[in-house]
Amino acid sequence: MQVGSTLAEKILSARSGSVRKAGDIAIAAVDLAFVQDTTGPLAVRAFREAGFCELANPEKTVLFLDHAAPSPSWQLSNDHMSMRSFARETGCVLSDVGEGVCHQVVAERLARPGDVIVGADSHTVTAGGLGAFATGMGSSDIAVAFALGKTWFRVPESILITLAGKFCKGVYAKDLILYLIGRIGADGATYKALEFGGSGIAGMPVTDRLTVANMAVEAGAKVGLFPSDELTYQYLKAVGREADYKPLAADSDAEYLERIEIDLSALEPMVSKPHTVDNTVTASQLEGVKVDQVVIGTCTNGRLQDMEIAAAILKGRRRHPQTRLIVGPASPLVLREAIRKGYIDTLIAAGAIILPPGCGPCLGLHQGALGDDEICLSTANRNFKGRMGNPRGHIYLASTATAAASAVAGKITDPREVL
Amino acid sequence: MLKGRAFKFGDNISTDHIVPGRLAHLRSNLPELARHVLEDADPEFACKVKPGDFVVGGSNFGLGSSREHAPLVIKMAGVSAVLAKSVARIFFRNAINRGLPVLICDTDSINDGDELEVDMSGGTIKNMTSGRTITFKPIPDFMLSILNEGGIMPYIKKHGDFKL
Ligand code: SF4
C-alpha cells in the first residue's frame, strides 16, 4: 500500500506531474525563479554564454537589486547596469534598488502555497513559510531555470518538527529556530526538508513562519516547509492576494525520517555566538557581553512585526551611548507601514539609524561593517567569520526583542527584563 | 588519475571563508576574485596552491550562501577536487555544475601537505605520503551525468533538457 506524502513530496509530485517519493529525482516546473545583485550578473553571463535568448516565463522571472542598495561602488553599479539591461532585453521583472530584500518581496507579492520557487540566494527557503517548495541554488542552475522553466531536484527526506504550546512573553519565532539549529547542528538537516506541524503552528502567524523557514538553510536543509492554513489565508488577504490562497497539508500517514517535538512554552530567548549559527546559548548566559553595534532588519527579522517589537521596547528609552543601532525595514511596504504606525519616529527618537529597504550590513558590503574586535548583535541569520565585512569582527544572532533590549543596555540583555 | 597536494581545512568552511561578501564588488572580475580564494580560512592559500592540488575539508564544507563564485574560484585556482567528510547542499550542486568534483570521504587521515592520487572511476584516494588508501562515496548518478559533461551548461547544450 502506498503511504501518504510529506509536504515536499506532495509539491514536487504535483509540479513534476508524477508521483515522487523521497530519494527520487523530480524534474519540476518552476513557478518563480529569481536572482539578486551579487549572484545575478553570473547568472546573466551563464544564460548568454549558453546561447539562451528567451525566458520561459518572463513575468515569473525576477531580478532583485537589494544586496548593494544603493550601490557602494562603481563595480557593483556596473553589475546593476548589466542586470537592468538584461531585464529590458528579456522582458523579465526588475525589482530595483530600494524596492526591498528579495525574500520579503517574494513573500509579500509573489509566493503562493504549493509553488516551486528557486532563487540564486540561499535564503530563498523563506517562502516555505507560505507553503512553497522554495530553495536556493547557484547562478547556473537559475540561468537554466530561466530558460527552461524547470529544474531538477532530488526529493528530500523530511524531518517533522512538531510544535506544541505557545511562546512565553519575550520569546519569539527567532528563538525557536535558533534553539532548533543549536539542537540539531548546522548540518543537522543537510539535503533534507524540515517540515513544521503540530498544534503550536495555529498560533504562529506567517510573519513568524517566514522567520523560521528563512533559517532552515542554517541547519543545511533544502527547504523549511509550513502547511498552508487559515493563517496563510489571513496573510495573503492582508497583502491583497487572497486569490493565491490554497490549503495544503502533509498526509497524516506521511513517512518522516525523524520527528522532533518542541514545547514552545519551554523556550527562552536564545543567542548564537560567533562564528557558527549552531553555537547557541540562552541570552541570560551571555548577560553583560558589551555590544558595539545592534542591527535590526534583514530577511529574517525586517518585517513590520519586528519594527513594532523594537519600537515597543525602545519607546521612551535611548540606545546606549556606546552602542550604534541600525534598523533596516526589509521592504518599502514595511517601511511605509512602520512610518504610518509611528514606529520609525519612536526608533529615531531612541537614536536609531534607519536604512533604506535592502540587505544593509548583513553581508558585509556596506552600511555597518565592523571594526577589529567589534561585537555586533544582529537579527540576521548568519554569524560566520567575516560575514559583516571584517574577519576580526564578532557577530551574535538573536531576536528583535533581544536586540532592542541590548541596544538600550549596551550589552547582551534578556528582553524579559525590560518587557 | 588526479594527482596533487592536500590543503587541509577544518569543519564548517563557509562560502564567506571562500569568497567573503566584502569582495562582492569583484564578482564580475573573476581572475581578481580568484586571488582571494579561501582568504579568510588561510590567507596564504592562493599563493601556495598549484594546479592539480586538492582542497580537503572536514564536515559541512561550503555551508552558507548560494554564491557559485565559491566553487568557481576554487576551480580557477587549479584545484582538481574538493574532498570533505560532508558538504553543504548548494555548494555541492554548484561545484558539480562547474565541473569541480566533490568527493565525500573520511578526511581525518589526510594531513596538510600529503601527496594524493585520486582514481575517479575506481572511487579511491591513495595517500602517497602515508601509504593509506581510502574510498569516497559514489557521486549520485544524476549529478555524475552532469559532471561527466563538464557541468550543467555543457550538459544542457548537449541534451537540450534534463534527461532522466
Ligand atoms: S538580508 Fe542578508 S541573508 Fe537576507 S538576502 Fe540579504 S544578505 Fe542575504
Side-chain angles (χ1 to χ4, degrees):
Chain A
M1 204 190 75
Q2 186 91 40
V3 296
S5 294
T6 63
L7 276 170
E9 289 168 335
K10 252 190 195 181
I11 297 171
L12 292 181
S13 295
R15 302 305 286 132
S16 67
S18 58
V19 177
R20 289 285 175 241
K21 289 286 173 190
D24 292 343
I25 300 288
I27 310 292
V30 166
D31 297 286
L32 175 69
F34 67 90
V35 295
Q36 37 87 342
D37 45 347
T38 73
T39 58
L42 189 58
V44 163
R45 269 181 282 152
F47 184 92
R48 291 208 172 103
E49 278 162 25
F52 296 133
C53 304
E54 288 197 14
L55 301 169
N57 302 300
E59 69 293 348
K60 290 287 190 179
T61 301
V62 188
L63 314 183
F64 289 95
L65 309 187
D66 57 353
H67 281 56
S71 165
S73 70
W74 59 269
Q75 292 97 331
L76 286 159
S77 298
N78 285 346
D79 283 342
H80 286 175
M81 287 172 71
S82 79
M83 289 174 70
R84 289 191 192 101
S85 77
F86 183 81
R88 275 194 303 275
E89 281 163 34
T90 61
C92 72
V93 181
L94 179 76
S95 181
D96 212 318
V97 166
E99 293 181 339
V101 182
C102 49
H103 311 301
Q104 179 62 17
V105 177
V106 165
E108 289 170 3
R109 297 208 229 138
L110 298 161
R112 301 170 304 185
D115 274 356
V116 168
I117 299 178
V118 293
D121 190 286
S122 57
H123 296 106
T124 301
V125 286
T126 311
L130 280 161
F133 190 98
T135 194
M137 295 179 171
S139 301
S140 295
D141 268 324
I142 299 300
V144 172
F146 277 8
L148 303 184
K150 54 185 161 181
T151 191
W152 73 274
F153 294 103
R154 179 186 171 280
V155 182
E157 290 83 12
S158 293
I159 300 174
L160 180 66
I161 313 291
T162 309
L163 306 174
K166 277 198 171 84
F167 293 119
C168 294
K169 195 171 176 165
V171 182
Y172 301 87
K174 181 63 163 287
D175 299 304
L176 162 65
I177 189 66
L178 293 181
Y179 166 81
L180 177 64
I181 294 163
R183 179 161 159 183
I184 67 176
D187 57 357
T190 299
Y191 310 123
K192 320 237 166 51
L194 286 177
E195 297 197 13
F196 295 85
S199 57
I201 63 168
M204 200 180 275
V206 165
T207 47
D208 281 355
R209 298 178 186 184
L210 294 169
T211 298
V212 172
N214 173 273
M215 291 191 70
V217 67
E218 308 314 331
K222 183 179 285 187
V223 62
L225 271 168
F226 280 82
S228 170
D229 57 14
E230 174 58 28
L231 292 175
T232 318
Y233 175 76
Q234 283 176 19
Y235 178 87
L236 289 170
K237 185 158 180 258
V239 292
R241 295 204 287 128
E242 61 252 67
D244 287 344
Y245 173 72
K246 74 168 181 210
L248 192 66
D251 293 330
S252 55
D253 59 342
E255 268 191 75
Y256 298 96
L257 190 69
E258 196 186 336
R259 289 165 195 261
I260 294 174
E261 284 168 24
I262 297 176
D263 176 4
L264 300 178
S265 65
L267 296 177
E268 286 187 57
M270 302 297 294
V271 177
S272 294
K273 298 192 291 179
H275 297 287
T276 56
V277 184
D278 57 0
N279 196 8
T280 50
V281 293
T282 62
S284 55
Q285 283 175 275
L286 293 174
E287 287 272 328
V289 172
K290 189 177 162 291
V291 176
D292 301 293
Q293 176 169 295
V294 167
V295 172
I296 296 174
T298 80
C299 58
T300 317
N301 284 110
R303 283 178 270 280
L304 188 64
Q305 197 192 27
D306 298 291
M307 302 301 126
E308 183 183 358
I309 292 166
I313 290 175
L314 287 156
K315 194 166 183 78
R317 297 191 171 105
R318 254 196 92 73
R319 67 174 177 86
H320 188 274
Q322 263 126 51
T323 306
R324 309 179 292 276
L325 172 60
I326 299 175
V327 178
S331 74
L333 185 65
V334 172
L335 177 58
R336 293 183 69 187
E337 282 291 295
I339 289 172
R340 208 171 57 77
K341 291 183 177 271
Y343 305 151
I344 297 296
D345 190 59
T346 302
L347 294 171
I348 293 174
I353 303 158
I354 308 295
L355 294 182
C359 296
C362 182
L363 83 162
L365 270 183
H366 60 162
Q367 297 176 332
L370 299 178
D372 288 357
D373 282 322
E374 278 200 316
I375 291 179
C376 180
L377 181 67
S378 168
T379 66
N381 43 36
R382 284 198 175 130
N383 59 351
F384 302 155
K385 193 177 165 196
R387 175 77 183 175
M388 289 182 69
N390 185 347
R392 290 169 299 280
H394 305 270
I395 306 165
Y396 291 75
L397 306 176
S399 75
T400 299
T402 303
S406 303
V408 173
K411 51 192 173 47
I412 295 180
T413 302
D414 186 323
R416 293 174 298 185
E417 290 172 21
V418 299
L419 281 170
Chain B
M1 193 77 79
L2 308 174
K3 287 185 194 178
R5 254 180 331 159
F7 282 86
K8 185 80 186 272
F9 296 88
D11 293 339
N12 289 315
I13 295 296
S14 77
T15 53
D16 280 299
H17 285 103
I18 305 169
V19 267
R22 67 172 183 278
L23 300 176
H25 62 289
L26 298 178
R27 287 195 195 169
S28 289
N29 183 354
L30 290 170
E32 183 59 33
L33 188 67
R35 292 177 51 185
H36 298 270
V37 56
L38 276 157
E39 185 171 273
D40 284 355
D42 175 2
E44 255 108 70
F45 174 75
C47 308
K48 294 185 298 194
V49 66
K50 297 224 166 53
D53 286 345
F54 299 97
V55 165
V56 181
S59 61
N60 211 14
F61 189 90
L63 77 157
S65 120
S66 69
R67 60 192 76 147
E68 191 170 312
H69 312 75
L72 193 51
V73 294
I74 291 176
K75 191 173 182 205
M76 286 175 73
V79 168
S80 56
V82 172
L83 280 51
K85 285 202 247 182
S86 63
V87 65
R89 183 190 73 82
I90 308 178
F91 182 89
F92 194 9
R93 196 164 164 141
N94 282 342
I96 299 298
N97 280 346
R98 286 287 174 174
L100 175 69
V102 174
L103 310 176
I104 310 296
C105 55
D106 184 358
T107 54
D108 278 347
S109 64
I110 303 175
N111 292 312
D112 194 54
D114 284 358
E115 294 286 339
L116 308 179
E117 276 189 20
V118 174
D119 178 354
M120 284 296 291
S121 51
T124 57
I125 299 160
K126 182 146 201 226
N127 189 328
M128 308 307 281
T129 308
S130 70
R132 285 182 63 155
T133 298
I134 56 173
T135 55
F136 60 85
K137 270 181 41 181
I139 295 174
D141 285 346
F142 193 71
M143 294 184 98
L144 193 60
S145 64
I146 293 170
L147 182 66
N148 286 341
E149 299 296 350
I152 188 71
M153 285 310 183
Y155 174 97
I156 291 289
K157 267 192 198 163
K158 178 163 167 188
H159 300 284
D161 202 344
F162 299 107
K163 290 271 172 286
L164 275 190

